[in-house]
Amino acid sequence: EKATMASGVFFIDPKGKVLLSRNYRADVPMSAVADTFTRRVLTDDENDLKPVFQEGQYTFVYIKHNSIYIMAVTNKNANVMVILNFLYLIVSVLKDYFNSLEEESIKDNFVIIYELLDEMMDFGYPQATNTKTLKTFIRPGEAHKVEKKQLGEGVTGMLTGATPWRPEGIKHKKNEIFLDVIEKLNLLVASNGTVLHSEIMGTVRMKSYLSGMPELKLGLNDKILMQNRGRTRGKSVEMDDIRFHQCVRLSRFESNRTISFIPPDGEFDFMHYRLTTKVRPLIWIEAQVESHKNSRVEFLVKAKSNFKRRSNANNVEIVVAVPEDADSPSFKTSIGNVEYTPENSCLVWKIKQFAGQKQYMMRAHFGLPSVTSDESEAALKKPISVKFEIPYFTVSGIQVRYLKITEKSGYHALPWVRYITQNGDYQVRMH
């Protein structure tokens, strides 16, 4: 017998109470295995818990989301990575349906969740896990009148055909597709300016409004592809950890790095990638702190933009930690404005638009009580975090070289491309 999948799936609250469960194979005692799981999870030290464990003849696989345990159990030698992936897909689908997955949304939507669990898994094997497909016949907000009496041929085709993410017969008045290349920069900089860690997390997001069954081919300035084709001129980017949407033909990509696909309709994340290249800080921060014990503390913060003159960083926020017991703030700045948020023990220097190759300064002055705690001293050593968004710019230099769209009806479609760089976890250590 081939590796069987899950016998049952459970949603369990933080106290160990089963909120909802679905028995798929009737080969395990559901309440007994739920008790075994909750006893183990609630009594063992959280650091010792593993997402997969065995107890007697049963294997438990679980994830935790908003304090709720989503658990699958099997009594066979099943593929636990497939089960884990399926549990994450359950969370993703339910979040798409109800905006959030928590105890309240589970209790309010029992009927629709049971319908979804029935469609997503059959006799322990995953089936339809794509939200768009599920929404064609299980309508959100209509739990009591789920439309399954007449599954149109289109839906059946989606579930069983070559493109389960796209039904036949889609029509748009205007055929166009939008691509957003969004890069988040994770950066940790030492107080002397040395970059300790840098990483670019990229997402290519698409909004597709194309009729029929279009075939698309995307060309990026991907280093391996350009070398394979003998192109050495122009900038190319070496991407690590590429993850594609299921619509991409992976065999073609693996054999010759061609990215070809039939896209879903509407908005979706087309690909994720990661780059570990060394990046110099886009916004360079230098901070000096003068602490006059038992009276006052002064900050001098300099911010310099290291990107091209023609680019702008928008909605820049430079967040500096201040002692909890600081009071009577005063600020001077050459641009933007400064806000003190005592509930978060920090000051936020906000700059609406920060042009490239510019430098600005900000001075802050706080009073301190006559008796200061060790926590106050520690606060002055916390790293500065920076938030920003730079449109029309990618820090990696990735570029969409072309997007070819062909459809049998022969229509012309317009591709639109935008580039955005944002901060991820971007921190600069204090002196």
Side-chain angles (χ1 to χ4, degrees):
E1 188 188 358
K2 69 177 182 177
T4 310
M5 282 297 301
S7 296
V9 169
F10 298 78
F11 292 78
I12 297 169
D13 76 7
K15 293 182 178 142
K17 181 170 169 265
V18 176
L19 298 170
L20 184 150
S21 66
R22 178 71 179 85
N23 187 349
Y24 286 109
R25 298 179 59 85
D27 61 355
V28 298
M30 294 290 278
S31 55
V33 294
D35 290 345
T36 305
F37 174 79
T38 51
R39 196 168 52 246
R40 178 83 176 257
V41 168
L42 297 179
T43 55
D44 281 18
D45 188 308
E46 202 165 319
N47 298 324
D48 297 333
L49 284 171
K50 294 176 176 62
V52 180
F53 63 85
Q54 271 185 299
E55 190 92 14
Q57 69 196 79
Y58 305 116
T59 303
F60 297 89
V61 184
Y62 79 96
I63 61 174
K64 202 172 176 185
H65 182 83
N66 284 346
S67 303
I68 291 168
Y69 298 99
I70 298 108
M71 180 268 285
V73 64
T74 178
N75 60 358
K76 302 280 193 297
N77 182 18
N79 184 333
V80 292
M81 291 312 292
V82 175
I83 297 181
L84 258 179
N85 191 38
F86 179 72
L87 295 179
Y88 280 110
L89 286 167
I90 288 178
V91 170
S92 170
V93 166
L94 297 186
K95 275 168 71 183
D96 281 347
Y97 264 81
F98 315 124
N99 298 325
S100 67
L101 177 59
E102 48 205 26
E103 201 170 322
E104 203 68 22
S105 58
I106 291 172
K107 286 177 176 172
D108 289 348
N109 296 285
F110 269 155
V111 177
I112 204 163
I113 292 172
Y114 274 117
E115 292 287 350
L116 288 166
L117 290 175
D118 276 353
E119 293 304 330
M120 291 179 74
M121 184 169 262
D122 184 33
F123 199 57
Y125 296 97
Q127 303 291 319
T129 55
N130 184 291
T131 311
K132 278 200 175 113
T133 308
L134 290 162
K135 279 186 178 176
T136 55
F137 55 96
I138 298 179
R139 302 283 170 85
E142 298 184 11
H144 56 287
K145 46 177 176 177
V146 173
E147 298 188 13
K148 276 174 58 188
K149 292 177 200 71
Q150 293 175 307
L151 286 188
E153 280 177 25
V155 171
T156 313
M158 279 171 74
L159 290 171
T160 57
T163 55
W165 55 87
R166 186 181 183 94
E168 294 273 356
I170 290 173
K171 286 190 176 74
H172 288 286
K173 278 183 184 170
K174 195 174 182 185
N175 290 296
E176 50 191 355
I177 185 164
F178 299 86
L179 273 75
D180 281 346
V181 181
I182 303 157
E183 291 193 339
K184 290 197 171 183
L185 177 58
N186 295 335
L187 200 71
L188 179 61
V189 185
S191 55
N192 64 0
T194 311
V195 174
L196 301 173
H197 168 74
S198 70
E199 178 182 57
I200 299 162
M201 307 296 281
T203 302
V204 177
R205 194 162 288 147
M206 290 192 182
K207 278 185 192 168
S208 168
Y209 305 110
L210 300 171
S211 306
M213 276 287 176
E215 288 275 350
L216 275 67
K217 219 179 204 179
L218 177 69
L220 303 170
N221 55 340
D222 168 28
K223 195 169 190 178
I224 299 169
L225 175 69
M226 290 176 84
Q227 281 172 351
N228 288 352
R229 304 213 168 148
R231 289 183 164 202
T232 48
R233 289 174 61 196
K235 182 167 183 185
S236 59
V237 175
E238 199 168 336
M239 289 181 278
D240 311 318
D241 296 348
I242 302 175
R243 279 191 301 122
F244 286 114
H245 184 273
Q246 70 187 100
C247 66
V248 174
R249 296 183 179 96
L250 289 179
S251 54
R252 242 184 249 184
F253 179 74
E254 278 154 13
S255 63
N256 60 15
R257 303 288 281 195
T258 302
I259 305 173
S260 66
F261 58 101
I262 295 171
D265 196 47
E267 188 173 347
F268 64 102
D269 281 357
F270 175 71
M271 77 184 256
H272 298 275
Y273 59 91
R274 188 172 69 93
L275 290 159
T276 49
T277 43
K278 272 270 183 282
V279 179
R280 65 192 187 129
L282 295 174
I283 294 178
W284 169 250
I285 304 289
E286 209 177 302
Q288 288 166 354
V289 186
E290 264 188 58
S291 180
H292 304 273
K293 264 218 162 148
N294 313 338
S295 67
R296 66 188 195 280
V297 61
E298 289 170 13
F299 295 87
L300 172 63
V301 180
K302 291 179 190 169
K304 183 176 185 290
S305 51
N306 277 335
F307 43 87
K308 286 177 184 157
R309 207 176 286 275
R310 64 171 184 264
S311 290
N312 280 310
N314 297 333
N315 304 318
V316 177
E317 291 187 9
I318 296 158
V319 183
V320 183
V322 300
E324 269 182 31
D325 45 12
D327 56 28
S328 50
S330 65
F331 310 111
K332 255 189 198 163
T333 173
S334 54
I335 191 173
N337 64 311
V338 186
E339 288 174 12
Y340 172 45
T341 53
E343 64 275 15
N344 298 326
S345 303
C346 68
L347 64 87
V348 184
W349 180 12
K350 293 183 176 181
I351 303 166
K352 197 92 185 122
Q353 207 167 54
F354 199 140
Q357 301 299 311
K358 293 278 186 189
Q359 182 168 323
Y360 300 110
M361 277 171 63
M362 184 273 292
R363 286 180 188 275
H365 180 287
F366 289 88
L368 290 174
S370 52
V371 180
T372 53
S373 61
D374 292 343
E375 281 92 21
S376 294
E377 290 297 311
L380 299 175
K381 293 187 173 70
K382 281 185 181 172
I384 293 171
S385 65
V386 188
K387 297 175 185 174
F388 58 85
E389 185 169 288
I390 308 172
Y392 319 114
F393 171 84
T394 55
V395 66
S396 68
I398 191 173
Q399 282 178 334
V400 175
R401 287 173 44 241
Y402 60 82
L403 181 64
K404 292 176 183 163
I405 303 160
T406 48
E407 212 278 332
K408 61 181 182 231
S409 64
Y411 62 71
H412 287 288
L414 290 170
W416 304 91
V417 184
R418 281 193 310 184
Y419 300 96
I420 306 164
T421 291
Q422 300 169 335
N423 63 286
D425 186 10
Y426 190 111
Q427 297 192 336
V428 182
R429 286 186 177 163
M430 296 280 262
H431 281 288

